[in-house]
């Protein structure tokens, strides 16, 4: 039986168990998690900590964030060891990420711990890492993670909502 594991850089880790006749059997894992620690997205007027204060720039993953994601990959490896093979195989795992640097870097750091290369996968003795594909879509086409893909029905319902109640309109405008 093919086992598929999907890792999506987003918000929360979720595991699904499906009951079999004899006992519970883990058949799939879907792990959703958010990117690691990042620099602020922007500064405010008169902020003394402008972009030059952040070594990788606004909105970018910090070294703390890289360590967090690597630790999460180690935790996932320990938690699902035996279910996930030690050896990376594209048939076992598919990784999706938002098309944002900090999310792609978070997925890479996580995968570095989750699937360190073994045996013939080692291509550089000084670097215990192997490239693993991370799938993404442009933000405007991403209906799942970025939720920016245009939706005619959503736009229609949103427009109707905005003309029905001034309080609702003000609330939505403040978060939009």
């Amino acid at each position: 039986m093919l086992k598929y594991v999907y890792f999506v850089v987003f918000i929360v880790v979720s595991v699904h168990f499906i009951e079999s006749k004899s006992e519970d059997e883990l058949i799939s894992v879907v792990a959703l998690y958010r990117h690691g620690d990042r620099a602020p997205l922007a500064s405010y007027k008169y902020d003394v900590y402008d972009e030059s204060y952040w070594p990788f720039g606004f909105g970018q993953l910090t070294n703390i964030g890289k360590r967090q994601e690597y630790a999460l990959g180690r935790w996932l490896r320990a938690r699902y060891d035996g279910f996930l093979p030690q050896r990376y195989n594209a048939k076992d795992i598919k990784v999706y990420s938002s098309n944002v640097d900090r999310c792609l870097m978070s997925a890479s750091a996580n995968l570095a711990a989750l699937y360190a290369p073994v045996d013939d996968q080692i291509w550089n003795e000084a670097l215990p890492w192997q490239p693993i594909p991370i799938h993404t879509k442009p933000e405007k086409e991403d209906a799942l993670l970025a939720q920016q893909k245009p939706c005619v029905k959503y736009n229609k319902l949103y427009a109707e909502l905005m003309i029905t109640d001034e309080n609702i309109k003000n609330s939505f405008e403040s978060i939009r």
Side-chain angles (χ1 to χ4, degrees), residues 5-164:
V5 180
Y6 294 95
F7 287 94
V8 184
V9 177
F10 195 58
I11 293 180
V12 70
V13 176
S14 172
V15 181
H16 301 278
F17 292 89
I18 296 182
E19 191 175 325
S20 67
K21 291 182 180 177
S22 60
E23 61 183 74
D24 288 344
E25 175 187 7
L26 178 63
I27 61 166
S28 177
V29 175
V30 177
L32 299 158
Y33 57 90
R34 193 163 164 80
H35 57 74
D37 183 67
R38 63 162 170 79
L41 297 175
S43 64
Y44 55 89
K45 193 173 182 179
Y46 306 119
D47 186 359
V48 295
Y49 300 106
D50 62 9
E51 191 164 13
S52 67
Y53 180 79
W54 302 98
F56 306 111
F58 281 145
Q60 296 299 316
L61 197 64
T62 65
N63 285 338
I64 291 170
K66 294 168 194 172
R67 287 191 294 272
Q68 289 170 332
E69 292 301 325
Y70 189 83
L72 178 59
R74 289 180 59 137
W75 181 86
L76 289 166
R77 166 53 56 206
R79 176 71 178 91
Y80 298 108
D81 203 33
F83 180 72
L84 286 176
Q86 287 288 322
R87 186 181 177 79
Y88 167 75
N89 184 318
K91 294 178 181 175
D92 294 324
I93 184 170
K94 187 125 182 177
V95 181
Y96 294 96
S97 173
S98 298
N99 193 19
V100 177
D101 289 351
R102 65 182 167 268
C103 298
L104 292 162
M105 292 170 70
S106 290
S108 293
N110 185 304
L111 290 167
L114 190 62
Y115 282 108
V118 294
D119 304 325
D120 63 336
Q121 293 178 325
I122 298 170
W123 57 279
N124 182 334
E125 293 291 335
L127 183 63
W129 171 84
Q130 64 179 320
I132 295 176
I134 300 168
H135 303 272
T136 189
K137 289 184 176 184
E139 190 175 273
K140 293 294 181 191
E141 295 173 24
D142 187 352
L144 177 64
L145 299 177
Q147 298 178 345
Q148 296 297 312
K149 185 176 180 180
C151 176
V152 175
K153 186 171 183 176
Y154 169 82
N155 292 339
K156 179 181 178 288
L157 292 171
Y158 181 83
E160 289 173 10
L161 180 65
M162 291 302 106
I163 57 175
T164 60

